[in-house]
Amino acid sequence: MSLSPGRIVGIAVGAIAILGIGVYGPAMLLGPLPAVSVTVADSAGAAPDDGSATVSLPADGASAMALLAEDGAATTLAVAGDAEPVPIGGAVKLVTVLATLDSLPLPPDGAGPEITIGPDDYTDYLRYVAEDTRTLPVLPGQKWTERDVVRATLLASSNNHADTLARWAFGGVDPYVEAANAWLAENGFTATTVADATGLSGDNVGTAEELTRLAALVLADPSLAGMFGIGDAPAVAGERDIPDVVDHPAGAGVRALARSYTDQAGVSFIYTTTVPGLDDQPPYRLIGAASLMPDYETLDAGVGTAVASAAASAVPVEVITAGTPYASVEAAWGDRAELIASVSRTDASWGGGGAEASVTVENFTTAASGSDVGRITYATASGDVASPLELTSAIRDPGPIWRLTNPAALIGAFVADQQD
């Protein structure tokens, strides 16, 4: 029996419909779901301000104070006075040493190679003596180790030894200046420029904030830090007797890293100290810098106030509070939950809030109540403070009816899943 054309079309349409249902159903019921959308809460703004005292710096000249972070970087706590580049005097010798050791590092527990005092070195010594600037005596033909030349440059602030170091490492002061400015640029110092190895030129300029960063690099080197009595670097046999003329008792527990006076920079002073840590944590190490100070009386008063105010501002503040919602998630089918911090975190205030939060949430579709699906992090001066974020309620599978009636959402999720 032959079938009519209409009958054939009906059978074909029915077959296609049955086949479509057979494919559509499993695809919708078993396909991937769209990921939840995330909304960051207002509570994930700046860290709370507890109203504690701020770090107080002198209004004279240019000053900065920074916290030496765990990674060795200087995190600025306060800046005062002139924020533009100003003459920095003998602080330039930190650059001289750091730029030299970048290519010719000291051995961890040795004195390094010997440096022979040549005619130019001796001529520099006589010239600086005549100019009544800081020197240490040398004679032609003397042998000084690299370590002792570095110690003379840092601890005695010896101008002739700064030139000797530059001449030995770079072949002359002019090549040193070019290399040192390149080193500064490579290390992100945009405001600091050197014109010599000694700091006697008024064209050596920088900001107090960048001076604290230079000091942080010095303290990050155990060998250099040990020269200032900081850390536990081993003593090296055969060291020369180098006078420590840069140290200055500007306050209890203050250790000077550089100290000088020039007509252009006034009194320039870089120092480090510690203040008590929170609870049973180790002390915080601070770095301070000042330039253009009119006299030592002003400097000493300013350093004393800065250190005392820093200690007072290092009070504990709860940066993250357990149970606080820092974000929320919502599924396309209506399930919604808040993301709350699972633990509280406390950090030093340093005079207020301001640290911005970073909220990260996993890309997920369903999860049980209480699941850790994200993290909130505050980048504070002391380092990152963080807590996991957990769901206040479950995000469940929406079930077959929603799946079968929302093909666009599931097809979109399938496409996105293939692109990952």
Side-chain angles (χ1 to χ4, degrees), residues 80-95:
D82 199 332
E84 297 300 315
V86 298
I88 55 178
V92 162
K93 292 185 175 76
L94 299 185
V95 180

Side-chain angles (χ1 to χ4, degrees), residues 157-398:
S157 195
S158 172
N159 293 309
N160 55 299
H161 282 83
D163 280 350
T164 292
L165 191 63
R167 189 175 292 114
W168 171 72
F170 300 95
V173 174
D174 289 341
Y176 157 75
V177 169
E178 182 178 354
N181 283 317
W183 178 87
L184 286 164
E186 290 168 2
N187 285 274
F189 293 91
T190 59
T192 304
T193 304
V194 302
D196 61 27
T198 63
L200 292 172
S201 170
D203 293 331
N204 295 294
V205 298
T207 61
E209 186 171 13
E210 288 200 352
L211 290 180
T212 64
R213 290 177 51 205
L214 284 170
L217 293 178
V218 170
L219 295 179
D221 184 326
S223 181
L224 295 181
M227 294 180 188
F228 294 102
I230 299 169
D232 53 4
V236 176
E239 290 183 338
R240 289 177 180 265
D241 185 14
I242 305 294
D244 186 356
V245 302
V246 300
D247 202 15
H248 177 70
V254 171
R255 167 67 232 199
L257 304 177
R259 178 176 67 90
S260 65
Y261 174 85
T262 64
D263 291 339
Q264 301 92 343
V267 177
S268 178
F269 192 62
I270 302 177
Y271 63 96
T272 183
T273 190
T274 59
V275 297
L278 300 182
D279 301 325
D280 58 350
Q281 297 300 307
Y284 295 111
R285 179 161 293 279
L286 305 178
I287 301 169
S291 195
L292 298 182
M293 292 292 108
D295 49 53
Y296 279 100
E297 183 179 0
T298 303
L299 172 74
D300 292 350
V303 170
T305 299
V307 174
S309 63
S313 71
V315 297
V317 59
E318 192 168 74
V319 179
I320 299 173
T321 303
T324 299
Y326 289 101
S328 61
V329 294
E330 185 170 3
W333 51 94
D335 279 4
R336 186 181 183 282
E338 291 183 324
L339 300 184
I340 62 173
S342 58
V343 294
S344 296
R345 296 297 188 194
T346 301
D347 192 34
S349 167
W350 302 116
E356 294 297 323
S358 171
V359 173
T360 57
V361 179
E362 299 172 11
N363 189 32
F364 74 96
T365 56
T366 61
S369 177
S371 299
D372 287 344
V373 295
R375 189 174 185 84
I376 181 166
T377 303
Y378 282 94
T380 72
S382 307
D384 286 351
V385 178
S387 168
L389 293 175
E390 62 181 37
L391 286 170
T392 55
S393 57
I395 304 295
R396 299 183 176 87
D397 188 291

